[in-house]
Amino acid sequence: LTFPLLSVTLLVSFGSSMLYGYNLAVVNSPAAHIKAFYNATWSQRYGHGLASGPLTLLYSLTVSIFALGGLVGSLLVGVLVERYGRKGTLSRSALLVLLAGGFMGFSRELGSPEMVIIGRSITGLHSGICLSVVPLYLGEIAPKNLRGFLGLMPSIFICLGVFLAQVLGLPELLGQDRFWPLFLSVVVVPASLQLLLLHCFPESPRYLLIERNDVYRATEALHRFLGTRDVQDVIEEMKEEQRSLSSVEMVSVWQLLRDRSVRWQTLSVVVVNAGMQLSGIDAIWFYTNTIFENAGIPVSQIPYTTVGTGAIEIVAGLIGCFTIEKLGRRPLIITGFCAMGISSAGITVSLLLQVGGCLRQPVPRILNLSLPSAAGVPFLMTAELFTQSHRPAAYIVGGSLNWFCNFTIGFVFPFLQMSAGAFCYLVFCGVCLLVALYVYLIIPETKNKTFMEISHTFA
């Protein structure tokens, strides 16, 4: 593992993936303050406040508009990476965060709830682009024996982003009413750092050679990333893939969906990406405080309980990162989904056993702690299951489905919780167990295999 390879992995994970995690959790702590701001602004404009239902609807829109922005961003990935490359796309997307931070940071001063919603949608646009491009970039620059390790590094930073939002949201820090605009706009700091430093690193060698036919720059990039002058074997492997694709242009999403030769790869990406969101993980991140309050935890202890769960998520992510090359992809993702399903069922049982607001048994804290160990695998698998011509379209399919399900969960969960109560978690349980069964039956192990070998395995 060379210094340039580790450095660029940490930089793009910090400047992109961490922001995704941060923006998932940042609306949890200041929810009451933002709702109060919306209500006060509505009163100033129209002479009366908002009723409970419309206020919940407006706040649900604020939470879930992030996912709609992400959906749009994921649909743009194919065009952006073809025109600007992987590194170029990440550099340009950082500018979106600076714009979004300005909208959210000045929203209260200008008395505009619309600026919060617009800012959230722009951060979603950035995350939608980066959530696909970061694993695409890392998957293409990593040697095959490190692809799993580097591919899961962004998932650790997603957990770090969630944890950072939980810590900064404590009442002693930015969790006070006067600080929530600053709390939402902190994202400009890591984005600025990525914007300044990313130009120091090369573009993806696979992109340069296979798509741009630039052997010289691809060779120089490999020298930097691998730390050796002997890269001929890697160049030959790329040229073999290039020759196999010489009569195949970069496919569109529609062509990918109609291509029978990659039917099972496409279905696998759909199932795993949709399952990741419908597992309930984002509902937990969006509405942690509400869930813990309904579980009977004293309000004064909820922020610190939330921070504790965030810390354990990081540990789970680290376990996944450092074991994936030994255990493989399949055992990790199957174990993660099974544990999440069992945890969701445990939540239902615990809530049903509540008496007088107190639990006869504690809520299983493993909920949203077991899945982070496998959370980065769907994005890694999307890179591994397809060759260069199909990979951008596959990321569009997986990413757009990911964000559509994210939006659905973020918008529907409060109403699902009100109508179904404790039983709403059984939906998540069923999804998790079905995805685990699909992975067990259909998806082969991809550890230490080249992209061509994986394609031949599916064929």
Side-chain angles (χ1 to χ4, degrees), residues 45 48 52 97 121-122 128 137 148 166 175 207 220 230 240 323 373-374 412 425 427 434 440 444:
R45 290 181 182 179
H48 61 86
S52 175
V97 180
S121 66
I122 296 174
Y137 182 44
Q166 292 166 342
Y207 167 77
E220 290 300 309
D230 184 17
E240 180 187 351
T323 59
S373 62
V412 169
Y425 298 100
V427 177
L434 286 174
Y440 177 78

Side-chain angles (χ1 to χ4, degrees), residues 271 333-335 337-338 431-441:
V271 169
I333 198 166
I334 290 170
T335 302
F337 272 105
C338 285
V431 169
C432 289
L433 297 182
L434 286 174
V435 173
L437 181 63
Y438 178 90
V439 174
Y440 177 78
L441 294 175

Side-chain angles (χ1 to χ4, degrees), residues 197-389:
L197 298 180
L198 194 56
H199 73 278
C200 301
F201 298 95
E203 182 54 87
S204 159
R206 303 190 78 87
Y207 167 77
L208 293 172
L209 193 149
I210 297 174
E211 296 185 36
R212 288 290 176 259
N213 202 29
D214 191 337
V215 179
Y216 175 76
R217 288 178 63 201
T219 304
E220 290 300 309
L222 285 171
H223 290 162
R224 284 280 310 275
F225 284 133
L226 302 184
T228 178
R229 306 302 296 179
D230 184 17
V231 295
Q232 194 57 39
D233 289 346
V234 184
I235 292 291
E236 287 303 319
E237 186 257 314
M238 290 184 192
K239 286 183 175 179
E240 180 187 351
E241 184 175 343
Q242 186 187 39
R243 284 191 293 271
S244 71
L245 301 174
S246 58
S247 60
V248 181
E249 297 181 354
M250 299 299 289
V251 304
S252 66
V253 171
W254 180 242
Q255 290 171 323
L256 175 72
L257 296 176
R258 295 181 62 191
D259 190 343
R260 289 180 173 272
S261 67
V262 293
R263 176 178 53 190
W264 284 104
Q265 291 98 311
T266 305
L267 182 60
S268 298
V269 166
V270 167
V271 169
V272 176
N273 278 277
M276 183 62 64
Q277 301 304 322
L278 298 178
S279 68
I281 187 72
D282 283 336
I284 307 301
W285 279 332
F286 284 147
Y287 300 106
T288 307
N289 285 13
T290 303
I291 291 168
F292 281 154
E293 185 177 347
N294 291 340
I297 296 176
V299 174
S300 60
Q301 296 179 19
I302 287 176
Y304 308 98
T305 307
T306 300
V307 169
T309 61
I312 301 174
E313 284 172 355
I314 295 173
V315 174
L318 288 170
I319 291 172
C321 188
F322 287 101
T323 59
I324 188 170
E325 294 299 351
K326 291 184 179 180
L327 299 177
R329 282 63 160 154
R330 292 178 76 251
L332 202 61
I333 198 166
I334 290 170
T335 302
F337 272 105
C338 285
M340 185 74 173
I342 293 169
S343 302
S344 296
I347 284 284
T348 300
V349 172
S350 295
L351 292 176
L352 291 174
L353 293 176
Q354 280 183 330
V355 177
C358 298
L359 293 177
R360 288 180 181 170
Q361 57 181 351
V363 174
R365 300 298 172 78
I366 196 172
L367 182 63
N368 89 320
L369 311 182
S370 54
L371 202 56
S373 62
V377 179
F379 306 112
L380 173 63
M381 285 174 56
T382 305
E384 291 186 331
L385 298 186
F386 294 90
T387 54
Q388 196 80 8
S389 60

Side-chain angles (χ1 to χ4, degrees), residues 79-251:
V79 174
L80 293 174
V81 296
E82 186 176 356
R83 178 175 298 179
Y84 302 115
R86 282 61 167 152
K87 188 190 78 168
T89 299
L90 290 173
S91 295
R92 287 167 173 79
S93 67
L95 296 171
L96 294 172
V97 180
L98 306 185
L99 179 64
F103 271 103
M104 295 185 292
F106 292 103
S107 58
R108 187 170 61 182
E109 294 298 321
L110 298 176
S112 175
E114 295 84 358
M115 291 178 67
V116 180
I117 296 172
I118 292 171
R120 284 281 295 171
S121 66
I122 296 174
T123 57
L125 182 65
H126 167 266
S127 292
I129 295 169
C130 293
L131 204 60
S132 293
V133 179
V134 168
L136 177 62
Y137 182 44
L138 296 183
E140 291 184 356
I141 68 175
K144 64 182 180 181
N145 63 311
L146 289 174
R147 205 163 56 221
F149 173 75
L150 296 182
L152 281 197
M153 194 71 76
S155 69
I156 295 176
F157 277 83
I158 291 173
C159 295
L160 278 171
V162 172
F163 180 69
L164 179 63
Q166 292 166 342
V167 171
L168 291 180
L170 291 173
E172 296 84 354
L173 297 175
L174 301 182
Q176 302 174 41
D177 179 57
R178 58 185 176 139
F179 289 136
W180 69 259
L182 175 62
F183 187 30
L184 295 183
S185 58
V186 163
V187 291
V188 301
V189 177
S192 300
L193 188 64
Q194 177 176 289
L195 192 62
L196 290 173
L197 298 180
L198 194 56
H199 73 278
C200 301
F201 298 95
E203 182 54 87
S204 159
R206 303 190 78 87
Y207 167 77
L208 293 172
L209 193 149
I210 297 174
E211 296 185 36
R212 288 290 176 259
N213 202 29
D214 191 337
V215 179
Y216 175 76
R217 288 178 63 201
T219 304
E220 290 300 309
L222 285 171
H223 290 162
R224 284 280 310 275
F225 284 133
L226 302 184
T228 178
R229 306 302 296 179
D230 184 17
V231 295
Q232 194 57 39
D233 289 346
V234 184
I235 292 291
E236 287 303 319
E237 186 257 314
M238 290 184 192
K239 286 183 175 179
E240 180 187 351
E241 184 175 343
Q242 186 187 39
R243 284 191 293 271
S244 71
L245 301 174
S246 58
S247 60
V248 181
E249 297 181 354
M250 299 299 289
V251 304

